[in-house]
Amino acid sequence: MKVSLGRPVKVNNFLTTLNITLIANRNLKKMEARAGAAIKKISTASSYKAAIDAYEKEMKLV
């Protein structure tokens, strides 16, 4: 899964609106990579928990 903050121009326009220092495109790409890894880790754990819960629920019915 690819996670994106949006185009760099869009992000920097948003930061300008908030009167925050702009972020270089290279740094945005690094942030996207870290965020993508974190989201993947959380979604994998969530899917695993859902599978275990579904299995346990099915076994209660048997």
Side-chain angles (χ1 to χ4, degrees):
M1 175 175 77
K2 174 96 172 148
V3 177
S4 178
L5 296 171
R7 297 185 332 239
V9 173
K10 189 175 181 181
V11 172
N12 282 326
N13 285 343
F14 178 71
L15 294 176
T16 301
T17 303
L18 299 175
N19 199 22
I20 298 175
T21 305
L22 302 180
I23 301 173
N25 294 346
R26 183 178 351 137
N27 292 336
L28 280 174
K29 292 295 179 186
K30 289 178 184 179
M31 288 182 218
E32 286 178 345
R34 286 195 312 247
I39 291 170
K40 183 177 180 180
K41 182 179 176 181
I42 292 169
S43 66
T44 301
S46 176
S47 297
Y48 180 76
K49 183 181 180 318
I52 295 295
D53 291 346
Y55 175 78
E56 289 175 352
K57 184 178 178 181
E58 186 70 27
M59 288 297 113
K60 283 182 182 179
L61 297 175
V62 173

